[in-house]
Amino acid sequence: MKKKTIKVIGIVILSIFLIYTLFITEEVIRLSNNQQAEPLIVFEESYDDERNEFTYKSLGFTYKVEYWDFEGEKTKVVSQVILLFDRYVIWGWIT
């Protein structure tokens, strides 16, 4: 009986990990292909006026996008960075 309980708990933990990995992968692909997109789940959104940078905090990752400001309009994306747990760069580019 004990082995069965441990096996079920292991399967549940592995399933949660795989679903989270799939979610992060989907978000990275979607955000890298569409420069104007926002994450699907946003807990906190902030704007740095000095750098013209939007920061979105989501489930375990942070998405930062910096725009070139032309007369108050978001016209061109200068950089995009996706950080896992605010520490590890998953994806990013700078023009």
Side-chain angles (χ1 to χ4, degrees):
M1 192 70 170
K2 226 175 189 184
K3 286 185 178 183
K4 187 175 182 180
T5 305
I6 293 173
K7 186 177 180 180
V8 169
I9 291 172
I11 289 172
V12 168
I13 290 172
L14 183 63
S15 298
I16 290 171
F17 177 76
L18 290 175
I19 290 170
Y20 181 70
T21 304
L22 181 65
F23 172 73
I24 294 292
T25 304
E26 179 273 330
E27 284 288 282
V28 168
I29 292 170
R30 191 177 64 80
L31 293 171
S32 65
N33 288 335
N34 185 357
Q35 296 178 351
Q36 303 297 327
E38 294 180 4
L40 290 176
I41 301 170
V42 177
F43 293 127
E44 181 183 332
E45 179 180 345
S46 61
Y47 177 70
D48 183 4
D49 198 27
E50 239 175 66
R51 297 186 64 197
N52 292 327
E53 180 180 76
F54 285 92
T55 302
Y56 303 97
K57 294 197 181 250
S58 186
L59 282 174
F61 71 94
T62 302
Y63 175 59
K64 295 181 179 184
V65 59
E66 186 177 343
Y67 291 95
W68 178 61
D69 193 19
F70 182 73
E71 296 179 8
E73 302 249 343
K74 298 186 294 186
T75 56
K76 182 180 177 188
V77 174
V78 177
S79 70
Q80 289 178 312
V81 177
I82 299 175
L83 301 165
L84 185 64
F85 305 122
D86 287 338
R87 182 169 281 174
Y88 307 106
V89 176
I90 298 176
W91 183 86
W93 65 268
I94 300 172
T95 58

